[in-house]
Amino acid sequence: MNQLHPTSEEIVDYLHGELSPARDAAIHAHLAGCSECAEIRDSELSLTETLRAYARADERELPAGVVATIRARVQYKPPSLWEQLSAAFRPAVAVPIAIAIAAFIYFGFRLAHGPAVASTIDASYYVESHAALSSTTPLSEDEPIPGALRGDDQSH
Amino acid sequence: MAAAEPLHDPAPDQAAFLEHAIERYGKATYNFAYRLTCNEADARDLTQEAFVRVYKAWKSFKPGTSFLSWIYRIVTNLHRDELRRRKGRYQEEIPDDNELQEFSGSRPLAVAPIDDYVESQLSEPLSKALQELGSEQRQIVWLADIEEYSYQEIADVVGCTVGTVRSRLHRARGQLRKLVTRHMKSPS
């Protein structure tokens, strides 16, 4: 008998086809001539066969409720915050929202600051009236009277 | 081999993909989850959650690879997370590779009990013995001996090295023998 018996672990690996081809062949040859190791092999095989028989006998069907629950969970799951944000920023939605925001900011600014007073005064008034006043007798108390004031006097 | 069986022609539609997966692999997934948890309620929860994950991540599945290995990996990770979450509330232990190994590096002390196993007599002791194994050991025995996965495939599912698979499998088989023998001698 060959004194270099494989370990039981090697025999298990052999039965699972996990050895290198060379080692597999060596153990295969050894088992053919060693009753002691062949007994271990048979024992390991028996354990595996027993496990398989047990598994076949104890096989379970998938409960119907499991499938129903899976379907319910994947169909009625509320969208995540990210999914909601992604949906909100689609171009078809985002462009009108951007226009509305821009309009709100523009008109909101206008309302908050009231009408622009400076833009309602005619600049020519200052140029013409003030220039006319200063170009004649700026220190005189008689003439000329600025146009803007003259109307008041004439009304009397 | 079951592990190499791909999900052929995955449907282009997400819902159809899910239905196809449930139809073909729902039962196997549930049985795998049951072997991990040893109870139906947890197996149902694990199976449901795993298929919801499949639905969400369906585009990450690579056609031509093993769908079963993929979903077994999902189930394994979910179960591991659940064990961590429940730690302290439940008794189940995650096995440690440094535990004493009765048969480590040596030949079996006795082989006769296995030869004496008769199916009708063995079912109950084997059921008890499997439940007493740690969930990771039970999982590896299941994948290696029932599903006939290679060590590399098991390593991919469990997320460890081939060497760890080998050592856990050897230890699990050794413990299984010991536990079955004990339950056969003193059924209770």
Side-chain angles (χ1 to χ4, degrees), chain A residues 46-99:
Chain A
S46 176
L47 177 59
T48 298
E49 288 306 316
T50 304
L51 280 165
R52 287 179 186 168
Y54 171 78
R56 282 193 298 272
D58 199 43
E59 192 174 52
R60 288 153 195 272
E61 293 298 322
L62 180 65
V66 170
V67 179
T69 303
I70 294 166
R71 288 177 180 147
R73 284 186 60 187
V74 300
Q75 286 176 3
Y76 299 111
K77 178 182 151 298
S80 66
L81 179 62
W82 174 249
E83 288 168 337
Q84 291 177 26
L85 286 172
S86 299
F89 283 99
R90 285 176 302 156
V93 178
V95 170
I97 289 175
I99 292 171

Side-chain angles (χ1 to χ4, degrees), chain B residues 60-160:
Chain B
S60 63
F61 174 70
K62 297 174 183 172
T65 61
S66 169
F67 178 84
L68 214 45
S69 289
W70 186 45
I71 197 166
Y72 280 1
R73 182 165 176 74
I74 292 171
V75 170
T76 299
N77 290 334
L78 287 171
H79 179 60
R80 194 173 290 155
D81 292 345
E82 183 65 13
L83 284 182
R84 289 197 187 105
R85 197 178 66 80
R86 293 181 181 186
K87 195 175 182 183
R89 288 196 285 140
Y90 285 76
Q91 298 284 322
E92 186 166 10
E93 295 176 0
I94 297 175
D96 187 334
D97 280 345
N98 295 322
E99 286 177 3
L100 287 176
Q101 297 180 41
E102 185 167 342
F103 301 108
S104 175
S106 62
R107 301 162 72 76
L109 299 177
V111 294
I114 294 298
D115 296 333
D116 295 334
Y117 289 167
V118 179
E119 274 191 38
S120 59
Q121 296 176 325
L122 191 63
S123 180
E124 186 68 17
L126 186 57
S127 175
K128 287 180 179 175
L130 282 168
Q131 287 184 33
E132 288 178 29
L133 280 184
S135 63
E136 290 192 6
Q137 286 184 326
R138 193 165 55 241
Q139 176 188 31
I140 286 176
V141 167
W142 179 268
L143 290 173
D145 290 316
I146 312 298
E147 303 273 2
E148 299 183 62
Y149 274 40
S150 71
Y151 290 180
Q152 182 61 60
E153 287 168 332
I154 297 171
D156 291 340
V157 168
V158 176
C160 65

